[in-house]
């Protein structure tokens, strides 16, 4: 059974179609990158995965169950979510931010502290230096690392990344892309990653799904995607020559 499945999903706001007949599945351990221009529907599709939005038509299934049938709180806690600028709570320390979902899940303080320290090590931040800091005391790259640690904290089945590295400088972005690959190998998580950067998509994805106007134009492994002949795929691939 796929961990995530979109079955003929459509989404409309008033008379505007955002997604149309979107179908794909994601197996456990896979990283599917949703690639597309601004307005292509990729972030809307991402938000349907954890119940922030629901289809107008069709179904989104997580672990074989339609999102409409999940308890909304339970669903969101089963899924880690990393956004641009990390979305950390400014009044909480790094340790408190990372331990937030475990706290809601009833973990005791020593378990939360141990988990936060372990995950900071994994994302390249020294626990002794960073656990007691507040988000305002971190650089953009450090905030994103904490955001990834927070997403992993309660050991979710699925991780969502909504252009998490888009606001970072090229060097930091490259470093975090490499760390994303290393964490994928360490934790064997299933990931959905949204980007408009074809280089990032080809580097990070086990498959790349290209959306155009809310429809799925191409879905393929990176090597196959590089050979795609559809109009939009060729437009994106032309950027590799710049």
């Amino acid at each position: 059974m796929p961990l995530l499945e979109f079955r003929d999903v459509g989404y409309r706001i008033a008379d505007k179609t955002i997604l149309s007949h979107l179908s794909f599945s994601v197996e456990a351990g896979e990283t599917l990158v949703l690639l597309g221009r601004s307005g292509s529907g990729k972030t809307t599709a991402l938000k349907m995965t954890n119940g922030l939005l629901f289809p107008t038509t069709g179904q989104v299934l997580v672990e074989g169950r339609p999102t409409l049938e999940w308890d909304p709180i339970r669903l969101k806690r089963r899924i880690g979510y990393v956004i641009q600028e990390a979305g950390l709570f400014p009044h909480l320390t790094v340790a408190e931010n990372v331990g937030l979902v475990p706290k809601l899940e009833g973990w005791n303080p020593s378990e939360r502290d141990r988990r936060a320290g372990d995950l900071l090590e994994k994302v390249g931040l020294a626990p002794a230096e960073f656990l007691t800091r507040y988000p305002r005391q971190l650089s953009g790259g450090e905030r994103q690392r904490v955001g990834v640690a927070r997403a992993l904290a309660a050991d979710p089945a699925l991780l969502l990344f909504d252009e998490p590295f888009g606001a970072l400088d090229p060097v930091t972005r490259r470093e975090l892309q490499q760390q994303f690959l290393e964490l994928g190998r360490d934790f064997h998580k299933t990931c959905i990653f949204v980007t408009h950067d074809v280089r990032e998509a080809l580097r990070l994805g086990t498959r790349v799904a290209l959306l155009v106007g809310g429809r799925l134009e191409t879905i393929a492994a990176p090597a196959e995607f590089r050979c795609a002949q559809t109009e939009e795929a060729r437009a994106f691939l032309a950027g590799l020559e710049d």
Side-chain angles (χ1 to χ4, degrees):
M1 179 190 303
L3 185 62
L4 172 67
E5 188 174 4
F6 276 58
R7 292 182 180 173
D8 200 30
V9 168
Y11 184 69
R12 294 177 60 86
I13 299 176
D15 61 347
K16 184 177 181 181
T17 298
I18 309 299
L19 297 175
S20 181
H21 300 290
L22 188 60
S23 294
F24 61 82
S25 61
V26 183
E27 302 295 331
E30 184 176 11
T31 294
L32 179 70
V33 175
L34 300 180
L35 176 67
R37 306 187 195 210
S38 297
S40 63
K42 54 191 186 296
T43 294
T44 298
L46 190 78
K47 289 180 177 179
M48 287 189 173
T49 302
N50 70 346
L52 289 175
L53 297 173
F54 294 98
T56 307
T57 58
Q59 287 184 317
V60 177
L61 295 89
V62 175
E63 298 178 342
R65 185 190 310 176
T67 52
L68 282 166
E69 296 180 9
W70 278 84
D71 173 87
I73 294 174
R74 187 81 252 136
L75 177 62
K76 288 175 176 62
R77 291 185 188 174
R78 289 285 292 153
I79 298 174
Y81 200 8
V82 183
I83 61 174
Q84 200 171 107
E85 287 297 314
L88 302 178
F89 291 102
H91 61 290
L92 299 181
T93 65
V94 166
E96 290 167 336
N97 267 288
V98 174
L100 182 59
V101 174
K103 181 178 180 180
L104 295 172
E105 291 287 274
W107 294 28
N108 66 49
S110 63
E111 289 176 320
R112 298 198 305 267
D113 290 346
R114 183 168 56 252
R115 181 66 168 170
D118 289 346
L119 287 172
L120 285 193
E121 293 253 8
K122 285 288 188 182
V123 299
L125 299 176
E129 183 179 353
F130 286 93
L131 280 171
T132 58
R133 290 192 185 183
Y134 287 87
R136 66 179 179 275
Q137 298 171 308
L138 307 176
S139 69
E142 289 165 350
R143 285 194 294 272
Q144 286 306 105
R145 292 173 193 268
V146 174
V148 172
R150 182 178 64 179
L152 286 164
D155 197 24
L158 181 62
L159 294 173
L160 309 180
F161 294 82
D162 192 359
E163 300 195 62
F165 311 144
L168 302 176
D169 65 83
V171 174
T172 302
R173 183 172 188 165
R174 181 80 176 177
E175 290 172 350
L176 287 178
Q177 288 172 351
Q178 181 59 36
Q179 190 168 76
F180 175 89
L181 292 170
E182 292 169 0
L183 288 171
R185 288 192 290 268
D186 289 345
F187 287 92
H188 307 290
K189 291 297 182 183
T190 307
C191 302
I192 312 297
F193 194 106
V194 165
T195 186
H196 59 265
D197 182 339
V198 67
R199 286 185 175 86
E200 186 167 70
L202 295 171
R203 186 177 190 212
L204 301 185
T206 54
R207 284 190 301 155
V208 178
L210 179 59
L211 299 184
V212 183
R215 291 179 175 271
L216 180 62
E217 185 195 74
T218 303
I219 185 167
E224 296 167 347
F225 190 91
R226 288 177 180 272
C227 301
Q229 296 300 314
T230 61
E231 181 178 353
E232 190 73 354
R234 298 313 303 169
F236 269 92
L237 290 166
L240 297 176
E241 301 168 6
D242 295 341

